[in-house]
């Protein structure tokens, strides 16, 4: 057997190019099945990526992206919220949980927009702190689309931290 015998075209019918349609393209049920799978893939693709997509609305995922640093004296939370202003963001602290809420609105009402990767809508991000903080000394600053919240720890929380020496 030669390699030419394994090629589905060009064996008995000359050098005819294969059809661009697959067999399942001719079957409407298989075609519908493939399209529905593609739609679900498109919707759920955003849940694990860095793109906000549907995740930001109603707390499905992790938008806005945050960076948390924890020192002996304070916790610092930095959140990227590009395209927003101070008035669009609300910062709440309740029972050891920091909540970042906001809404990004479309700048234009373009009815003829056919494609957009930009995210618009409400978001809410809840961050459990794990330490008692001095609620009256919490500060939030906003600059260039970056929100920074500084949460000083109470003396009790600072004294609970124990350093453990690592031996080799």
């Amino acid at each position: 057997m030669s390699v030419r015998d394994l090629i589905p075209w060009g064996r008995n019918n000359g050098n005819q190019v294969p059809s661009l349609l697959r067999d399942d393209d001719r079957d409407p049920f298989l075609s519908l099945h493939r399209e529905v799978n593609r739609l679900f893939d498109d919707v759920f693709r955003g849940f694990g990526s860095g793109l906000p997509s549907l995740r930001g609305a109603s707390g499905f995922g992790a938008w806005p992206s945050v960076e948390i640093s924890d020192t002996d004296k304070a916790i610092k939370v930095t959140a990227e919220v590009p395209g927003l202003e101070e008035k669009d963001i609300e910062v709440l602290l309740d029972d050891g949980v920091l909540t970042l809420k906001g809404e990004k609105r479309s700048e234009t009402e373009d009815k003829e927009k056919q494609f957009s990767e930009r995210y618009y809508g409400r978001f809410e991000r809840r961050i459990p702190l794990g330490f008692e903080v001095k609620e009256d000394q919490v500060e939030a600053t906003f600059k260039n689309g970056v929100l920074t919240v500084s949460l000083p720890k109470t003396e009790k929380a600072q004294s609970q931290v124990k350093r453990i020496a690592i031996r080799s």
Side-chain angles (χ1 to χ4, degrees), residues 37-121:
N37 283 342
R38 186 187 58 78
L39 287 171
F40 276 102
D41 288 346
D42 289 347
V43 168
F44 290 109
R45 183 173 294 125
F47 282 106
S49 71
L51 296 174
S53 73
L54 296 175
R55 299 176 309 137
S58 67
F60 278 117
W63 194 83
S65 298
V66 297
E67 185 176 88
I68 301 172
S69 61
D70 181 11
T71 65
D72 292 340
K73 298 192 183 282
I75 299 171
K76 184 170 124 181
V77 177
T78 305
E80 294 180 349
V81 285
L84 295 177
E85 298 176 14
E86 280 180 62
K87 64 181 175 65
D88 300 325
I89 303 169
E90 185 177 7
V91 180
L92 305 168
L93 180 62
D94 183 34
D95 199 27
V97 177
L98 178 69
T99 302
L100 308 176
K101 288 181 172 184
E103 182 174 7
K104 185 174 179 183
R105 296 177 181 90
S106 176
E107 297 91 24
T108 62
E109 286 292 325
D110 189 3
K111 302 288 184 201
E112 297 184 18
K113 187 184 321 175
Q114 294 184 0
F115 178 77
S116 176
E117 289 184 341
R118 298 180 70 192
Y119 168 74
Y120 302 104

